[in-house]
Amino acid sequence: QVQLVESGGGLVQAGGSLRLSCAASGSIFSRYAMGWHRQAPGKQRELVARIFSTGSTNYASSVKGRFTISRDNAKNTVYLQMNSLKPEDTAVYYCTGSLSGKDYWGQGTQVTVSS
């Protein structure tokens, strides 16, 4: 099992940047596929980015070129660097981990982008 704790959310102006961090506990962190999801008020939760144990990544088309997901297995941490933020990026961002069909979720961190 893995426990996930997000940090780094906040309020920024459009065009600004934030870096989210997700600290994970667990002895096999490096084997997990890690990701970030987000949920805006009144909208469905969506996948933002995912990084696999190999380092391969996937991004939602809406964030591709602006966001970068990375992981540091030695620190049991996954990051989401968010640049050129837009008001439509406003959401609660959740760190996720997946292994062998089991999914784990952090508590979420609020990102608010003002126009």
Side-chain angles (χ1 to χ4, degrees), residues 38-46 87-94 110-112:
R38 68 186 182 187
Q39 187 167 27
K43 297 184 178 180
Q44 294 184 350
R45 188 171 294 176
E46 64 175 342
E88 50 263 46
D89 294 319
T90 295
V92 177
Y93 284 70
Y94 297 90
Q110 177 70 47
V111 172
T112 302

Side-chain angles (χ1 to χ4, degrees), residues 73-101:
N73 290 338
K75 296 181 178 180
N76 279 16
T77 302
V78 62
Y79 305 94
L80 185 68
Q81 178 66 47
M82 304 185 294
N83 298 326
S84 302
L85 283 161
K86 304 175 181 180
E88 50 263 46
D89 294 319
T90 295
V92 177
Y93 284 70
Y94 297 90
C95 181
T96 61
S98 299
L99 183 66
S100 300

Side-chain angles (χ1 to χ4, degrees), residues 16-108:
S17 298
L18 282 175
R19 188 172 79 156
L20 306 183
S21 297
C22 173
S25 63
S27 61
I28 54 171
F29 172 80
S30 63
R31 296 184 182 272
Y32 280 76
M34 302 298 298
W36 292 93
H37 289 71
R38 68 186 182 187
Q39 187 167 27
K43 297 184 178 180
Q44 294 184 350
R45 188 171 294 176
E46 64 175 342
L47 173 68
V48 176
R50 179 174 288 159
I51 184 166
F52 298 92
S53 60
T54 60
S56 180
T57 58
N58 290 150
Y59 296 93
S61 60
S62 59
V63 307
K64 192 173 297 182
R66 299 189 297 121
F67 291 10
T68 303
I69 188 171
S70 61
R71 67 192 296 164
D72 186 337
N73 290 338
K75 296 181 178 180
N76 279 16
T77 302
V78 62
Y79 305 94
L80 185 68
Q81 178 66 47
M82 304 185 294
N83 298 326
S84 302
L85 283 161
K86 304 175 181 180
E88 50 263 46
D89 294 319
T90 295
V92 177
Y93 284 70
Y94 297 90
C95 181
T96 61
S98 299
L99 183 66
S100 300
K102 295 183 178 180
D103 298 328
Y104 301 89
W105 294 77
Q107 82 288 348

